[in-house]
Amino acid sequence: MRRAIAVHTRGQWPEAAAAESVTLPFLDRHRRRIRLIADTGAPFLLDLARVQHLTDGDGLELDNGGYIRVCAAAEPVIEIAAETPGDLLRIAWHIGNRHLPLQVAETGALRLRADHVIAAMVEGLGGRILWRDAPFDPEIGAYAGQAHGGGGSGGGHDHDH
């Protein structure tokens, strides 16, 4: 079976060398080792040294020298808009306070995985909700690849909830 042995970020690999693609929802794009099926139906093994978050446009380098393009699958999401930029920032603060994965859509709307409880909170804060199916490729965060928190705490939080 073919093995994908390295991940190259979007724009940092020869995209013309992609023989095929694999389309995955958000929750299936944080992996180290798993058997996957390319969009052509051909199986391959994702076999990385450490867990990595795959984003839309990344290239998986195969052990035979080829590449597979990672595509974000359309999935149920909510897009959030608000009357003013200040209102949208306030909503973003509340979402961040809950440590939810968030994508800033090309339109400037905030995009989250569909969640009725969060949608009700956002509407209570004056936000407008659009339910749709779209690729979800959230920000990976300022601490990606680093310990969260200070002093080598290994993942502890240094703020109140």
Side-chain angles (χ1 to χ4, degrees):
M1 177 180 300
R2 298 175 305 159
R3 290 179 33 230
I5 56 171
V7 178
H8 300 277
T9 57
R10 176 181 34 220
Q12 301 298 309
W13 62 281
E15 295 186 37
E20 39 192 337
S21 60
V22 61
T23 302
L24 302 166
F26 170 67
L27 291 178
D28 289 339
R29 286 185 278 123
H30 189 84
R31 301 289 181 180
R32 184 191 82 74
R33 191 168 199 271
I34 188 171
R35 181 180 183 267
L36 295 172
I37 305 294
D39 296 339
T40 61
F44 68 96
L45 179 66
L46 181 67
D47 193 13
L48 305 174
R50 61 181 173 80
V51 173
Q52 286 191 246
H53 179 74
L54 308 173
T55 61
D56 188 69
D58 285 352
L60 302 177
E61 182 179 346
L62 298 172
D63 57 355
N64 68 3
Y67 290 87
I68 296 176
R69 179 185 172 84
V70 175
C71 298
E75 56 190 294
V77 296
I78 57 175
E79 288 192 354
I80 302 165
E83 192 65 34
T84 69
D87 291 341
L88 192 60
L89 284 172
R90 189 168 88 295
I91 291 167
W93 183 89
H94 283 279
I95 292 166
N97 193 45
R98 285 155 182 79
H99 299 271
L100 296 173
L102 174 125
Q103 176 183 359
V104 179
E106 291 178 8
T107 62
L110 305 178
R111 184 178 289 168
L112 304 170
R113 292 180 58 228
D115 182 315
H116 286 82
V117 172
I118 297 301
M121 176 198 75
V122 167
E123 289 174 331
L125 292 168
R128 295 185 307 276
I129 300 289
L130 173 64
W131 296 85
R132 60 183 297 214
D133 283 342
F136 182 56
D137 211 10
E139 298 293 322
I140 59 169
Y143 298 106
Q146 303 175 25
H148 184 114
S153 64
H157 285 66
D158 58 357
H159 59 270
D160 295 330
H161 285 258

